[in-house]
């Protein structure tokens, strides 16, 4: 037989199918070792056939998997993904297996068990330990070999083995994560709104549905019901959530409902745990894959449903090659399997909502919280007035009063700081004026090394302002306040309050954020201060107040999505307040209280926000009415990097010459961050009228990447730093 093999090399020169002779037992989907260019390397068998197109092919050196690691679906997706993102096929195939499995860095774990044989043996009176061990085995039938040796001595256990009283059995072990989790309650009776939603998903002929439901409207319960339904029908399911929402609470809910049928793929697991969870899915023992972005590649067959919770979340776009969109991959898999795809959010991305409104996908709306609990009231605190009154702290008087009341009532509060990147904006604290680009209508970013303002979308430079052009005020450069400073202020204002802080500095290791969240949910603290990390998914019943310190930070971020991100953040953060018992409140501090984004957020008016935003995008020609495309050119050697940049730019200019209608804007420049880890960063930035020219731009990147300089494409990048 002959095996068609894709070698595990991430270079385009090796991106071909090679043939090797192999034993009849080799199956497509298995990994093998093969001779290649004088070395032995790993490869993926994509097909096995009795015929070869070549003579004198070399034999496969070693078979790594007895049962194939990859399925036919992987090969189908491999073709589509490689074509879509212009990456070598091997790079795509790597996504389907745990990274540690490559180069044999992880294996199944085995343990030895001592099993009582029932043989009747007599022991001398002096062999006390042997007698004790024998009694134990007679009582229990078997025991863990190492544990028995610890208790009775290795000599005694081995002597019993010699005498035939026990046999050693080697058994495969599953390293199961989160086994200690308490199991949560079972199924709930669905509300009529939930029934309707599920009915619509299954009666509609559309495969993708956007589930737009306010926070606390019972979306999770809908997901769990859909999963249960698929399992009953003999199919499998994928449940994707942002990494940050993989909380013990949520995992225990899944384990409680589905037991061992649910497998968790999570970057916080050990390599062994992740490998074992993957094996349980691959073998069919587990039927539900739960995890962040990369779990979209879970080794399941016969998928009935794929759920993407918080579908608007930026973490669903991969930041390393291939820079895939999880929703796109989910669509490919749903299509291959004939599965239902459910995208859920309280604040869908503009892109997903447009598709739903235009009928490309189904749209299901849940407008009420379970039990008709009201959404928390949002109070706007105008920080310009606070400054005028001489209050230069991070806390408005409204927020201070609300905090005092919350603490007096024995409830908890969350203080949220808006932090995205390290961008610094010119924002006047006296009147709310924001410096924007004349061409792009996005906020400018301050660059201290040149003491100037720059637009990240077109590269235009502006002189730094020393005073506000509107009101003459001097407080114009705005950095926001750090979490540490906020905690210090809080301690002064409320000396007896117990305060927890959660940000990148306090969260480290596998369980860093779990332990902080656990403390808070056990009411070991009164106030939780944190950044974006605390915005999502968590359910703290005793929280009745949320303070948003600087809503402006993301509103004026130099990003065309800043309005969208701000609306999402406020809605998500506000959703943490008043989930159980008492009604919740939110204090939103801002220097631009009349801003329309904030107005819609305060009224929980997603549709109003959407209609305004989409009109703005159309008028300014930002996505979805264009594609922002950045070709990054990075390398350590300045001359070579610049040379490659020129080649890339020249090739794209040529492309523009051929299809001028496709290019709205094109320029080459330094990236806002000029150097990262010793690598110089240049970029060719363009705005394309449609996706038509995108494939050609990808080709340019692939053609110009070389040993010294990496060239890659980003579509509508989440940040332009
Ligand atoms: P969402 O995911 O939309 O934010 P959840 O699914 O977390 O909402 O539901 C909010 C709360 O309502 C949770 O505490 C959940 O246990 C509860 N809940 C959801 N559905 C039901 C139901 N059918 N009956 C009773 N309680 C429910
Ligand atoms: Zn601009």
């Amino acid at each position: 037989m002959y095996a068609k093999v894709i070698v595990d090399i991430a270079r385009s020169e090796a991106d071909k199918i090679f043939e090797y002779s192999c034993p009849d037992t080799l199956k497509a989907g298995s990994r093998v070792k093969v001779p290649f260019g004088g070395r032995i390397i790993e490869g993926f068998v994509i097909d096995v056939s009795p015929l070869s197109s070549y003579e004198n092919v070399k034999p496969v050196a070693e078979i790594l998997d007895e049962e194939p690691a990859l399925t036919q679906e992987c090969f189908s997706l491999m073709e589509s993904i490689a074509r879509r993102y212009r990456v070598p096929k091997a790079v795509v195939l790597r996504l389907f297996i745990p990274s540690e499995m490559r180069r044999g860095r992880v294996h199944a774990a085995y343990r030895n068990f001592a099993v009582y044989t029932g043989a009747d043996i007599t022991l001398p009176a002096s062999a006390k330990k042997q007698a004790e061990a024998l009694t134990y085995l007679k009582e229990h039938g078997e025991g863990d070999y190492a544990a028995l040796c610890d208790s009775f001595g290795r000599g005694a256990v081995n002597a019993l083995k010699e005498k035939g009283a026990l046999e050693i059995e080697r058994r495969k072990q599953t390293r199961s994560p989160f086994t200690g989790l308490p199991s949560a309650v079972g199924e709930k009776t669905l509300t009529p709104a939930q029934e309707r939603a599920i009915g619509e998903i299954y009666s509609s002929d559309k495969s993708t549905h956007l589930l737009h439901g306010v926070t606390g409207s019972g979306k999770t319960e809908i997901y769990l019901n859909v999963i249960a339904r698929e399992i009953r029908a003999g199919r499998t399911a994928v449940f994707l959530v942002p990494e940050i929402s993989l909380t013990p609470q949520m995992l225990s809910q899944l384990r409680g409902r589905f037991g061992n049928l649910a497998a968790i793929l999570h970057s916080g697991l050990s390599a062994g745990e992740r490998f074992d969870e993957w094996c349980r899915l691959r073998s069919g023992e587990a039927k539900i894959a739960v995890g962040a972005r990369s779990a979209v590649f879970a080794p399941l067959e016969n998928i009935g449903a794929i759920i993407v919770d918080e579908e608007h979340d930026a973490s669903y776009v991969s930041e390393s090659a291939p820079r895939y969109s999880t929703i796109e991959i989910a669509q490919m898999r749903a299509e291959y399997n004939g599965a239902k795809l459910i995208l859920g959010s309280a604040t869908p991305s503009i892109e997903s909502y447009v598709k739903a409104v235009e009928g490309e996908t189904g749209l299901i709306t849940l407008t009420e919280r379970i039990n008709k609990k009201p959404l928390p009231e949002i109070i706007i605190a105008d920080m310009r007035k606070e400054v005028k009154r001489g209050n230069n702290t991070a806390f408005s008087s409204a927020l201070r009063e609300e905090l005092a009341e919350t603490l007096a009532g024995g409830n908890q509060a969350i203080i949220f700081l808006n932090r995205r990147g390290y961008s610094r904006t010119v924002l006047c604290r006296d009147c709310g004026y924001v410096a924007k680009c004349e061409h792009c209508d996005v906020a400018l970013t301050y660059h201290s090394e040149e003491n100037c303002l720059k637009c990240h979308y077109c590269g235009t430079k502006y002189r730094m302002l020393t005073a506000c052009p509107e009101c003459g005020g001097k407080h114009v450069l705005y950095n926001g306040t750090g979490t540490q400073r906020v905690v210090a202020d809080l301690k002064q204002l409320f000396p007896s309050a117990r305060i927890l802080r959660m940000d990148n500095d306090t969260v480290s290791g596998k369980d860093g954020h779990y332990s902080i969240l656990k403390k808070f949910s056990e009411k070991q603290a009164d106030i939780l201060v944190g950044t974006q990390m605390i915005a999502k998914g968590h359910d703290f019943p005793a929280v009745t107040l949320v303070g948003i310190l600087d809503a402006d930070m993301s509103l004026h971020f130099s990003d065309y999505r800043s309005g969208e991100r701000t609306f999402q953040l406020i809605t998500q953060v506000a959703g943490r307040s008043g989930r159980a018992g008492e009604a919740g409140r939110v204090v939103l501090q801002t220097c631009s209280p009349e801003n329309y984004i904030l107005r819609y957020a305060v009224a929980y008016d997603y549709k109003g926000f959407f209609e305004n935003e989409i009109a703005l995008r159309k008028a300014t020609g930002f996505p979805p009415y264009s594609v922002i495309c950045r070709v990054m050119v990075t390398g350590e050697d300045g001359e070579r990097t610049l040379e490659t940049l020129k080649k890339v730019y020249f090739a794209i200019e040529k492309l523009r010459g051929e299809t001028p209608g496709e290019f709205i804007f094109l320029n080459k420049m330094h990236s806002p961050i000029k150097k990262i880890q010793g690598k110089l960063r240049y970029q060719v930035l363009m705005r394309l009228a449609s996706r038509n020219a995108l494939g050609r731009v990808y080709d340019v990147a692939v053609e110009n990447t070389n040993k010294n300089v990496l060239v890659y494409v980003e579509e509508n990048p989440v940040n332009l730093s």
Side-chain angles (χ1 to χ4, degrees):
M1 296 292 270
Y2 297 93
K4 297 194 189 334
V5 173
I6 289 183
V7 293
D8 193 6
I9 295 177
R11 285 201 306 273
S12 49
E13 309 92 83
D15 192 22
K16 301 186 187 92
I17 293 165
F18 297 92
E19 291 191 15
Y20 295 88
S21 63
C22 67
D24 291 357
T25 51
L26 184 60
K27 297 179 194 154
S30 294
R31 293 169 312 130
V32 289
K33 281 193 176 175
V34 291
F36 186 83
R39 288 186 300 151
I40 299 285
I41 58 167
E42 286 186 17
F44 307 93
V45 177
I46 65 161
D47 197 10
V48 181
S49 102
L51 298 170
S52 170
S53 356
Y54 307 97
E55 276 170 33
N56 299 328
V57 301
K58 288 181 189 151
V60 161
E62 192 185 335
I63 296 176
L64 294 171
D65 303 315
E66 274 162 40
E67 286 309 312
L70 301 169
T71 61
Q72 278 308 316
E73 186 192 356
C74 300
F75 302 128
S76 158
L77 260 68
M78 168 187 82
E79 299 286 351
S80 331
I81 297 171
R83 205 177 321 118
R84 169 70 178 83
Y85 298 103
R86 297 296 197 280
V87 285
K89 296 183 184 68
V91 171
V92 181
L93 292 179
R94 285 175 188 175
L95 297 167
F96 289 100
I97 57 172
S99 58
E100 301 84 5
M101 215 165 127
R102 295 173 49 230
R103 276 172 259 125
R105 279 171 292 166
V106 70
H107 299 279
Y110 290 91
R111 273 185 107 117
N112 288 327
F113 278 78
V115 183
Y116 180 50
T117 56
D120 211 8
I121 59 164
T122 42
L123 293 169
S126 61
K128 287 222 178 62
K129 286 286 172 198
Q130 287 185 48
E132 278 171 31
L134 189 62
T135 311
Y136 177 93
L137 282 176
K138 279 183 178 163
E139 227 168 75
H140 295 88
E142 62 174 46
D144 183 82
Y145 174 73
L148 289 175
C149 291
D150 278 348
S151 311
F152 307 107
R154 187 171 300 270
V157 177
N158 287 343
L160 287 177
K161 183 178 163 231
E162 293 288 301
K163 290 170 186 153
L166 63 86
E167 271 170 3
I168 304 291
E169 237 181 72
R170 192 162 176 259
R171 292 185 197 158
K172 194 165 162 182
Q173 292 297 294
T174 297
R175 290 154 287 199
S176 185
F178 307 109
T179 39
L181 290 173
S183 60
V185 283
E187 280 187 47
K188 296 184 172 71
T189 311
L190 296 181
T191 62
Q194 288 169 327
E195 290 279 11
R196 227 180 305 120
I198 294 175
E200 208 167 314
I201 290 166
Y202 283 101
S203 62
S204 143
D205 55 2
K206 292 188 167 120
S207 69
T208 305
H209 285 85
L210 179 63
L211 179 60
H212 173 213
V214 297
T215 55
S217 58
K219 294 186 292 297
T220 309
E221 199 55 40
I222 293 175
Y223 305 147
L224 298 180
N225 245 273
V226 166
I227 294 172
R229 199 175 159 135
E230 294 302 333
I231 300 300
R232 279 198 299 275
R235 290 183 291 262
T236 64
V238 179
F239 186 12
L240 304 174
V241 296
E243 183 88 43
I244 204 101
S245 322
L246 281 168
T247 58
Q249 279 168 336
M250 121 145 256
L251 298 178
S252 76
Q253 201 173 6
L254 279 157
R255 280 271 197 238
R257 188 79 65 95
F258 301 109
N260 282 331
L261 285 178
I264 292 144
L265 301 170
H266 179 214
S267 67
L269 305 184
S270 72
E273 286 170 342
R274 205 164 36 225
F275 175 72
D276 287 353
E277 289 291 85
W278 184 90
C279 289
R280 294 203 307 118
L281 289 164
R282 180 69 188 98
S283 70
E285 183 193 325
K287 298 189 183 307
I288 306 158
V290 186
R293 178 174 75 217
S294 62
V296 75
F297 297 101
L300 286 167
E301 291 176 274
N302 195 14
I303 299 172
I306 303 177
I307 290 148
V308 184
D309 189 25
E310 312 279 4
E311 67 86 30
H312 62 276
D313 198 272
S315 72
Y316 283 124
V317 179
S318 168
E319 286 178 351
S320 55
R323 292 175 169 71
Y324 63 86
S325 136
T326 305
I327 294 178
E328 268 186 40
I329 309 283
Q331 264 157 353
M332 292 177 189
R333 290 203 80 173
E335 194 177 323
Y336 184 94
N337 287 277
K340 290 287 179 188
L341 172 59
I342 303 170
L343 308 175
S345 176
T347 51
S349 71
I350 294 286
E351 196 178 27
S352 296
Y353 203 77
V354 168
K355 286 186 183 152
V357 169
E358 290 176 350
E360 194 181 325
T361 66
L363 176 62
I364 299 167
T365 311
L366 301 172
T367 51
E368 283 180 336
R369 279 185 156 182
I370 295 282
N371 301 334
K372 315 231 181 315
K373 225 170 264 157
L375 288 159
E377 183 193 350
I378 306 182
I379 305 153
I380 289 191
D382 185 344
M383 293 310 276
R384 297 172 307 185
K385 289 188 183 146
E386 301 286 331
V387 172
K388 284 208 182 94
R389 267 191 242 132
N391 174 9
N392 273 313
T393 71
F395 293 87
S396 61
S397 48
L399 182 52
R400 282 204 303 257
E401 278 160 31
E402 292 287 342
L403 264 171
E405 204 173 303
T406 303
L407 296 174
N411 289 315
Q412 289 177 300
I414 289 178
I415 300 294
F416 174 73
L417 276 96
N418 212 341
R419 277 288 165 281
R420 295 232 304 118
Y422 294 96
S423 144
R424 299 197 286 176
T425 320
V426 168
L427 176 137
C428 173
R429 292 257 270 161
D430 296 322
C431 76
Y433 164 86
V434 174
K436 288 188 169 181
C437 175
E438 287 164 18
H439 316 294
C440 304
D441 199 37
V442 297
L444 300 171
T445 302
Y446 177 64
H447 285 248
S448 54
E449 71 274 33
E450 293 167 70
N451 191 36
C452 74
L453 299 169
K454 276 189 202 169
C455 170
H456 285 184
Y457 285 90
C458 70
T460 307
K461 283 188 202 177
Y462 299 81
R463 259 213 311 276
M464 176 57 191
L465 305 172
T466 47
C468 172
E470 298 277 322
C471 77
K474 298 280 188 215
H475 308 100
V476 288
L477 186 63
Y478 193 55
N479 300 308
T481 323
T483 42
Q484 261 168 310
R485 160 84 198 286
V486 169
V487 170
D489 282 2
L490 273 176
K491 279 191 177 139
Q492 275 206 324
L493 291 170
F494 303 101
S496 61
R498 296 164 303 164
I499 303 164
L500 273 175
R501 178 179 138 214
M502 183 155 136
D503 55 25
N504 278 324
D505 301 331
T506 55
V507 172
S508 59
K510 177 174 166 184
D511 302 318
H513 75 278
Y514 290 167
S515 65
I516 296 176
L517 294 173
K518 187 154 171 273
K519 268 194 196 152
F520 192 61
S521 70
E522 288 168 353
K523 292 195 81 171
Q524 292 183 48
D526 307 305
I527 305 175
L528 175 64
V529 177
T531 53
Q532 263 67 351
M533 280 180 191
I534 60 176
K536 289 171 235 167
H538 317 301
D539 204 345
F540 303 115
V543 170
T544 56
L545 174 67
V546 166
I548 302 173
L549 287 193
D550 39 13
D552 302 318
M553 268 307 266
S554 67
L555 199 54
H556 307 309
F557 193 76
S558 51
D559 178 347
Y560 73 91
R561 285 197 195 86
S562 57
E564 183 178 354
R565 294 275 182 241
T566 304
F567 186 90
Q568 286 164 353
L569 262 176
I570 293 172
T571 312
Q572 299 289 336
V573 182
R576 299 310 109 216
S577 181
R579 287 176 77 89
E582 281 175 60
R585 284 162 95 75
V586 178
V587 177
L588 187 155
Q589 303 189 159
T590 173
C591 292
S592 359
E594 65 294 322
N595 181 284
Y596 78 94
I597 304 273
L598 303 187
R599 291 278 152 207
Y600 286 121
V602 165
Y604 295 102
D605 183 1
Y606 178 84
K607 275 189 92 167
F609 151 76
F610 170 79
E611 270 150 27
N612 239 283
E613 186 69 18
I614 199 76
L616 186 70
R617 300 275 180 97
K618 199 165 193 170
T620 51
F622 271 108
Y625 298 100
S626 66
V627 182
I628 307 274
C629 177
R630 167 159 90 158
V631 183
M632 285 295 297
V633 181
T634 83
E636 280 176 19
D637 182 324
E639 237 167 80
R640 285 187 169 129
T641 311
L642 261 178
E643 196 182 304
T644 307
L645 172 74
K646 279 182 199 142
K647 278 194 200 150
V648 168
Y649 186 69
F650 182 73
I652 295 176
E653 264 207 316
K654 193 164 154 245
L655 197 57
R656 178 169 67 172
E658 289 161 18
T659 53
E662 293 294 335
F663 283 76
I664 303 170
F665 170 85
L666 172 66
N667 206 349
K668 63 175 188 302
M669 56 186 102
H670 259 118
S671 289
I673 300 176
K674 288 182 188 164
K675 208 172 184 180
I676 293 180
Q677 291 175 335
K679 290 211 167 93
L680 292 159
R681 293 156 54 85
Y682 293 98
Q683 63 188 28
V684 178
L685 198 59
M686 67 206 88
R687 221 191 289 177
L688 303 170
S690 72
R691 307 175 69 88
N692 295 342
L694 205 55
R696 305 271 304 271
V697 175
Y698 270 101
D699 289 337
V700 169
V702 171
E703 283 154 18
N704 286 286
T705 282
N706 57 56
K707 255 203 337 282
N708 302 299
V709 185
L710 177 66
V711 185
Y712 61 86
V713 177
E714 292 172 322
E715 290 169 42
N716 298 332
V718 172
N719 87 61
L720 273 181
S721 53

